[in-house]
């Protein structure tokens, strides 16, 4: 069974980019949405490189990370800095988000990811039996914009594709759509059990 979980990054991180010694001393600015400067940041902050799955520390992210680990699913992250990255990819701590951003900003970031990041976006086109996509509205919008430019149908990423989100999921056709009001709903025991069934069997049961 080949299964995928795609979740957006979390604001809470195991390593605070605002408190890195080099940042506090004014030797380097805080990495944010300036992905075009990645090489410079890598040189200055290489010792803080960390796997994406270990950097994000929000409660919802941890719940889906644990689900990926227990089910054997591949974990992908939609990062506000990097775009689509594998959970095992090493990145540097940063401070960026798509929450509360305008359509123009999100379009600009999608273009930036396509030029400088999106290191693991090809994995969206692999043959997944079940794909679980848990993205808040602006991150889902970014995925839709990116998928349009890459010729990917979001609802065909998996044989069964489950999209968990807010009001934006109404724009999608062909997915199993699960509306949630927030992070608490998205990591409820009942929902996690339903998702796990798809990850292990390739099918979704209501």
């Amino acid at each position: 069974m080949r299964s995928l979980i795609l979740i957006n990054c979390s604001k809470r991180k195991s390593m605070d980019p605002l408190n890195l010694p080099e940042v506090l001393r004014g030797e380097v600015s805080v990495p944010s949405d300036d992905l075009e400067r990645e090489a410079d940041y890598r040189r200055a902050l290489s010792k803080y490189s960390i796997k994406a799955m270990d950097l994000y520390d929000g409660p919802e992210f941890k719940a889906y990370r644990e689900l990926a680990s227990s089910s054997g699913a591949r974990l992908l992250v939609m990062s506000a800095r990097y775009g689509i990255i594998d959970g095992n990819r090493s990145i540097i701590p940063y401070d960026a988000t798509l929450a509360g951003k305008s359509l123009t900003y999100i379009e600009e970031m999608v273009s930036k990811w396509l030029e400088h990041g999106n290191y693991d976006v090809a994995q969206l086109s692999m043959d997944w039996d079940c794909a679980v996509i848990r993205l808040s509205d602006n991150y889902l919008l970014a995925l839709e914009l990116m998928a349009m430019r890459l010729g990917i149908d979001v609802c065909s990423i998996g044989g069964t594709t489950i999209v968990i989100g807010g009001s934006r999921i109404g724009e999608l056709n062909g997915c199993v759509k699960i509306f949630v009001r927030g992070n608490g709903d998205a990591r409820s025991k009942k929902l996690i059990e339903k998702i796990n069934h798809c990850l292990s069997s390739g099918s979704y049961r209501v």
Side-chain angles (χ1 to χ4, degrees):
M1 186 63 55
R2 292 171 55 82
S3 299
L4 171 72
I5 294 176
L6 171 61
I7 185 169
N8 53 248
C9 57
S10 66
K11 180 175 178 60
R12 197 167 92 183
K13 297 178 175 67
S14 61
M15 193 182 307
D16 186 353
L18 302 178
N19 287 320
L20 299 179
E22 290 81 355
V23 171
L24 293 174
R25 292 195 298 264
E27 297 170 5
V28 64
S29 57
V30 179
S32 58
D33 57 7
D34 50 352
L35 185 57
E36 66 277 5
R37 296 185 57 204
E38 180 70 4
D40 295 333
Y41 286 121
R42 289 277 179 172
R43 282 191 291 270
L45 303 172
S46 60
K47 62 185 176 183
Y48 303 111
S49 291
I50 183 173
K51 286 184 178 180
M53 69 170 66
D54 296 326
L55 176 62
Y56 306 113
D57 203 37
E60 181 177 299
F61 186 91
K62 290 195 290 186
Y64 281 79
R65 179 181 65 198
E66 291 167 8
L67 178 59
S69 177
S70 64
S71 67
R74 181 75 55 84
L75 180 67
L76 289 184
V77 182
M78 174 170 274
S79 158
R81 176 174 174 82
Y82 294 102
I84 301 294
I85 53 174
D86 192 289
N88 283 307
R89 181 169 290 279
S90 290
I91 58 175
I92 55 173
Y94 65 89
D95 183 35
T97 183
L98 297 186
K101 301 297 185 180
S102 67
L103 172 60
T104 298
Y105 178 89
I106 294 170
E107 289 174 332
E108 290 173 352
M109 285 309 302
V110 168
S111 294
K112 190 174 290 190
W113 297 341
L114 290 170
E115 182 177 357
H116 300 287
N118 260 359
Y119 306 133
D120 300 299
V121 71
Q123 293 191 37
L124 294 180
S125 299
M126 294 173 66
D127 187 20
W128 303 107
D129 297 299
C130 174
V132 175
I133 300 171
R134 167 53 185 142
L135 300 173
S136 56
D137 278 356
N138 274 8
Y139 288 82
L140 181 55
L141 171 59
L143 177 64
E144 292 175 74
L145 293 171
M146 184 194 311
M148 192 181 307
R149 292 176 62 173
L150 295 174
I152 297 172
D153 177 5
V154 171
C155 289
S156 297
I157 290 174
T160 299
T161 302
I162 301 173
V163 182
I164 305 159
S167 59
R168 178 133 203 108
I169 65 174
E171 303 292 322
L172 299 173
N173 294 301
C175 303
V176 175
K177 295 182 285 189
I178 302 176
F179 174 79
V180 293
R181 298 184 184 279
N183 291 348
D185 285 355
R187 64 177 193 274
S188 70
K189 181 179 179 181
K190 182 177 181 181
L191 179 54
I192 292 295
E193 288 176 351
K194 287 185 175 183
I195 295 169
N196 192 45
H197 182 265
C198 180
L199 295 173
S200 61
S201 70
S203 63
Y204 177 77
R205 59 187 180 191
V206 179

